[in-house]
Amino acid sequence: EITDKDSKMVTASFYLKPTDIASLDFSKYVYLDGVLFRINKISDYNMSSPGPCKVELIKVNHTQY
């Protein structure tokens, strides 16, 4: 997906709760505006005071290989 010519990377701010982080699975897909994405990276998350953090998503082009 990273090297595909049709791949897209999106960086957005999300409010994630500690329960969201505890149940996070990077292999699961995320739907955003009807488009399928995979979480690539989460940065700027503070466990002691949850708030908006940066989430980097990669568009899923093929669900089967």
Side-chain angles (χ1 to χ4, degrees):
E1 294 170 343
I2 294 173
T3 60
D4 190 0
K5 65 179 176 99
D6 296 323
S7 69
K8 304 287 183 211
M9 188 175 292
V10 175
T11 303
S13 290
F14 290 95
Y15 178 83
L16 298 175
K17 298 179 282 187
T19 55
D20 296 330
I21 296 296
S23 65
L24 186 66
D25 186 357
F26 282 92
S27 66
K28 302 285 183 179
Y29 298 133
V30 176
Y31 278 102
L32 182 63
D33 287 337
V35 180
L36 198 59
F37 289 94
R38 183 185 311 272
I39 298 174
N40 188 45
K41 180 171 70 171
I42 296 175
S43 57
D44 300 334
Y45 183 76
N46 186 352
M47 200 70 155
S48 61
S49 62
C53 61
K54 282 186 181 179
V55 179
E56 188 176 281
L57 304 162
I58 298 176
K59 182 180 173 189
V60 175
N61 295 323
H62 309 285
T63 56
Q64 295 179 351
Y65 291 98

